[in-house]
Amino acid sequence: MRQNDIAAISPNAPVILEMSHISKTFGAVTALVDVSIRLRKGEVLALVGDNGAGKSTLIKILSGFHRPDTGAIVYQGKQVHFGSPREARAVGIETVYQDLALINDLSVYHNMFVGREYHKHVLGFKLLDNKKMRGLARTYLDTLGIEVPSVSSTVDLLSGGQRQSVAVARSIYSSPTILVLDEPLAALGVREGAHVLGLIQNLRQQRSVSIILIVHNYNQVFEVCDRINFLHSGEIVLDASTAETSEEELIRIVKSGLGRQAV
Amino acid sequence: MPPSTQTAPKATNKVGLRVPTTALETVLVILSRYREASIAVVAIILAIYFQLASNGAFLSSQELSVVLRDTGRFGLIAVAEVMLMITGEIDLSVGSTFSLAPYVMVLLSLTWAFPIAVSALAGILLGLLIGLVNGVITVSFRVPSLITTVGTFFLLQGVVVSIYNSQPVVAPVQEPFNEVFGENLYGPADSVWSLHGLTAFTPFLWTVLVVVVMAVVLNRTTFGLHTIATGSNIVGAREIGVRTGRIKVYNFMIAGAFAAGAGIINTTQFASADPLAGGPFLTLQAIAAAVIGGTSLLGGSGTIIGALIGAFVVATLNNGLVMIGAQATVSDIYLGTAIIVAMILNVQVDRLRARRRL
Ligand SMILES: Nc1ncnc2c1ncn2[C@@H]1O[C@H](COP(=O)(O)OP(=O)(O)OP(=O)(O)O)[C@@H](O)[C@H]1O
Ligand SMILES: [Mg+2]
């Protein structure tokens, strides 16, 4: 499915997220310099850039994992300060981290529900409802067409691609408002990668969830994204809709290290 | 057997699961699947050995009450160490909390005439506070808990010996507190089924109750799940919203409270608070129980039931060898060997799992 199969995002679509003038340093390392990004409802935004450009740092600020040195985040019209990933998840921002954040010693279904467990009350005690979580995880993974040996096996038994699929499934399970995917295709085979891209494309078609997608493959960028933000050495050097730019231009920017300013 | 009928091909497991190939791997796989069962087998063999070697005296009610009393004491602390070890931390200060809490309890009752139950509660609160301090220093100031708790160990040990010049104090006996938390030692005239006989086992029974509760907490509650997540992958756990710092602090507080509780039960049973009752040796025996029970220090996994069985093994070695006439110090040789062997196995099992081979 090429991008023109899906109606372009309306310029009037409400802005759901605005991160403005974000800077972040780690000791002597400057990771982000005055970065601003804007995400509309239903939009799929590609965040691209070289290794070490600051992509993961930016999305970890959004997810509440890091706190920015300067800058503000306005989410659904209100300024927010996330003290921890818990707070961001609670308001509908889900993230698939580059490291996947899977707990090796826990089962697939516990991994799916860590941080938002289902409980049952036994003699007045709040215990985990493992049966319910196991069932929900199994059905949900089946619905998405994700294959794992068993939802009860620990995730360290899974292959790299299966792990990545589980992490993606976990993030979309709760129907988030914003979905952040940090290189979700890195460990996937051609077929599985296409499958996850298909999932993203489906979400995009419904235009109900806004997505920030970090990928290195420009083909994939043009396949599923509405806009591109190019990050270079901690600064945004390009902000353009995929309809207005091309792979050639991106490659030119990569080579020159220079950008053209936002449209 | 005709040559054409080869042995059946190795059972092909589900996708992604590797079947163990070498004998060592097979043993490790069995150990990892049935951790508690394998240590229980060791415990039973030990009990049988001492029963035979002591001409049937080991499993007498009287001797057993001593072994189980020690099992209770080590077990209560070992359970807390298991929780901490799962988060990737350790508490070496439990031995001094064990001495300090009951000492404070007794002094409160003697000096201000607090009912002993109230003083005991104060002792537990003190344990919680010690755990809170250990936890906050470890988490907020990023001091390794090995160091934090060596520091608090010496500090508290110094405090408790300086209060009364290292003198033990006689603890007041108040019913029903003493009946509930350990009244007596098993006498030759006691029958197991008399209430008097049964109270000799109360320290152990309390520990069994705590073990059951903590096994449920670890395996069936959100707190337990987050405890495992914290030790298994601390960055990942934080990324998905687990409050790893808090989880660690709470587990330090559990350790403090359990050590205080074990000390209070000990004092109640002996009607005496001894500033040297705990000490470094008790800490190490409790950790030995946790390790022999099948918990490694790598974090992310551990067994509560195993800790209780491990405590029984430690208590059995301590008392059994003395019983069959060995020098008291000989038991340390066996204990030391047991710890090292158990730890090698634990680490190998965890390693294999980490390499996704089980
Ligand atoms: N926790 C941290 N402590 C110190 N430095 C960090 C930390 N996280 C990131 N950095 C540094 O910040 C810079 C940006 O890193 P970041 O992970 O955001 O890059 P990236 O664009 O995601 O790269 P990649 O494509 O390789 O994932 C790098 O120089 C990195 O070394
Ligand atoms: Mg990155």
Side-chain angles (χ1 to χ4, degrees):
Chain A
M1 217 183 308
R2 285 305 285 194
Q3 90 132 40
N4 46 5
D5 296 343
I6 291 178
I9 195 111
S10 150
N12 299 328
V15 172
I16 198 136
L17 173 78
E18 185 132 34
M19 297 177 77
S20 36
H21 309 294
I22 304 281
S23 297
K24 177 76 183 173
T25 56
F26 296 102
V29 180
T30 303
L32 295 171
V33 190
D34 197 32
V35 168
S36 299
I37 63 165
R38 170 187 290 180
L39 187 65
R40 290 180 188 281
K41 184 167 173 12
E43 186 175 40
V44 181
L45 174 70
L47 201 53
V48 297
D50 311 329
N51 296 129
K55 306 178 296 294
S56 297
T57 305
L58 184 63
I59 63 103
K60 281 183 180 172
I61 287 172
L62 174 60
S63 78
F65 188 81
H66 289 318
R67 263 156 291 295
D69 298 339
T70 64
I73 303 175
V74 175
Y75 173 60
Q76 293 184 318
K78 280 191 289 282
Q79 187 159 351
V80 288
H81 303 273
F82 297 133
S84 78
R86 190 179 198 81
E87 295 169 24
R89 286 186 92 188
V91 296
I93 300 177
E94 281 290 329
T95 306
V96 176
Y97 295 91
Q98 198 165 4
D99 66 12
L100 302 183
L102 292 175
I103 311 299
N104 277 342
D105 289 287
L106 294 180
S107 64
V108 170
Y109 72 88
H110 276 147
N111 268 283
M112 290 273 302
F113 289 100
V114 162
R116 57 164 64 101
E117 298 82 3
Y118 282 99
H119 297 100
K120 61 182 176 191
H121 289 264
V122 179
L123 306 171
F125 294 105
K126 208 170 134 191
L127 300 185
L128 293 173
D129 194 342
N130 286 333
K131 206 173 147 199
K132 179 168 181 176
M133 291 188 278
R134 197 182 305 126
L136 286 173
R138 190 178 295 132
T139 340
Y140 192 65
L141 291 175
D142 282 350
T143 316
L144 295 182
I146 290 170
E147 281 170 33
V148 293
S150 151
V151 289
S152 300
S153 57
T154 52
V155 290
D156 57 357
L157 298 176
L158 304 186
S159 74
Q162 289 167 334
R163 291 161 64 83
Q164 202 144 34
S165 304
V166 168
V168 171
R170 168 170 72 190
S171 69
I172 53 184
Y173 178 78
S174 60
S175 321
T177 311
I178 294 180
L179 176 62
V180 182
L181 302 162
D182 194 347
E183 303 195 23
L185 309 168
L188 297 183
V190 175
R191 194 172 67 84
E192 291 81 0
H195 188 73
V196 170
L197 272 183
L199 292 178
I200 297 172
Q201 194 72 299
N202 278 346
L203 291 171
R204 176 172 174 230
Q205 205 154 19
Q206 294 158 19
R207 294 289 187 205
S208 55
V209 49
S210 312
I211 300 175
I212 298 177
L213 180 64
I214 299 177
V215 271
H216 283 293
N217 179 324
Y218 295 142
N219 263 324
Q220 294 163 348
V221 170
F222 284 93
E223 197 174 330
V224 299
C225 297
D226 300 298
R227 290 184 79 76
I228 302 178
N229 279 9
F230 199 111
L231 205 53
H232 180 79
S233 300
E235 291 180 71
I236 300 269
V237 292
L238 173 85
D239 176 4
S241 86
T242 41
E244 302 167 335
T245 186
S246 61
E247 289 187 44
E248 291 69 42
E249 183 168 18
L250 281 182
I251 289 161
R252 192 181 55 72
I253 292 169
V254 178
K255 283 192 176 142
S256 67
L258 291 167
R260 65 163 205 209
Q261 269 315 302
V263 185
Chain B
M1 194 192 284
S4 59
T5 25
Q6 290 271 314
T7 42
K10 274 239 163 64
T12 39
N13 226 324
K14 284 177 192 154
V15 195
L17 299 184
R18 231 200 72 179
V19 181
T21 45
T22 69
L24 175 69
E25 258 184 50
T26 313
V27 170
L28 290 175
V29 169
I30 292 170
L31 277 181
S32 84
R33 298 247 168 90
Y34 308 98
R35 274 194 183 190
E36 291 89 352
S38 28
I39 175 65
V41 168
V42 173
I44 291 167
I45 291 173
L46 272 181
I48 292 173
Y49 169 74
F50 284 119
Q51 173 73 354
L52 296 177
S54 66
N55 294 319
F58 183 75
L59 292 177
S60 69
S61 307
Q62 194 171 356
E63 177 64 17
L64 213 53
S65 83
V66 175
V67 172
L68 291 184
R69 180 193 69 213
D70 288 358
T71 304
R73 182 170 30 157
F74 301 146
L76 198 52
I77 304 176
V79 164
E81 291 289 358
V82 166
M83 293 296 285
L84 268 176
M85 283 155 76
I86 292 174
T87 70
E89 304 292 345
I90 197 163
D91 185 350
L92 299 180
S93 71
V94 284
S96 58
T97 309
F98 180 94
S99 310
L100 181 60
Y103 211 66
V104 166
M105 165 183 89
V106 170
L107 289 184
L108 280 179
S109 281
L110 293 181
T111 318
W112 284 302
F114 281 21
I116 196 84
V118 174
S119 308
L121 203 63
I124 301 282
L125 287 177
L126 178 68
L128 284 172
L129 183 69
I130 293 168
L132 179 67
V133 171
N134 280 333
V136 168
I137 293 175
T138 302
V139 171
S140 306
F141 298 100
R142 298 174 191 215
V143 178
S145 53
L146 193 75
I147 306 301
T148 311
T149 57
V150 166
T152 45
F153 173 83
F154 279 112
L155 199 153
L156 298 172
Q157 194 68 29
V159 168
V160 66
V161 296
S162 65
I163 298 178
Y164 248 49
N165 263 332
S166 309
Q167 292 309 304
V169 280
V170 174
V173 172
Q174 286 173 19
E175 303 300 356
F177 187 83
N178 286 65
E179 272 167 354
V180 173
F181 290 102
E183 181 125 74
N184 61 27
L185 300 173
Y186 202 85
D190 281 320
S191 147
V192 192
W193 302 114
S194 66
L195 182 64
H196 192 252
L198 203 64
T199 54
F201 293 94
T202 37
F204 175 68
L205 296 177
W206 277 108
T207 298
V208 170
L209 182 73
V210 169
V211 163
V212 171
V213 169
M214 291 311 290
V216 171
V217 166
L218 177 61
N219 298 307
R220 290 281 180 273
T221 68
T222 298
F223 177 72
L225 202 66
H226 289 192
T227 294
I228 297 171
T230 298
S232 182
N233 179 358
I234 190 161
V235 174
R238 275 177 56 210
E239 285 175 341
I240 50 176
V242 173
R243 288 182 277 215
T244 55
R246 269 189 219 202
I247 295 287
K248 285 190 176 182
V249 171
Y250 289 156
N251 278 305
F252 274 107
M253 291 171 76
I254 290 175
F258 283 16
I264 286 168
I265 288 177
N266 190 54
T267 285
T268 308
Q269 203 178 23
F270 287 100
S272 157
D274 183 348
L276 300 173
F281 211 62
L282 177 66
T283 299
L284 296 181
Q285 282 169 318
I287 290 170
V291 167
I292 291 172
T295 300
S296 77
L297 283 156
L298 303 182
S301 74
T303 139
I304 300 284
I305 310 281
L308 181 65
I309 308 173
F312 178 78
V313 169
V314 174
T316 300
L317 282 176
N318 275 353
N319 294 293
L321 286 166
V322 175
M323 238 194 122
I324 63 172
Q327 286 277 313
T329 43
V330 173
S331 75
D332 288 351
I333 298 174
Y334 291 92
L335 186 57
T337 311
I339 293 169
I340 291 169
V341 170
M343 203 60 188
I344 289 172
L345 287 176
N346 294 344
V347 171
Q348 290 312 311
V349 166
D350 277 11
R351 277 253 182 84
L352 267 191
R353 292 194 332 149
R355 276 188 273 138
R356 301 193 205 158
R357 287 168 61 186
L358 289 194

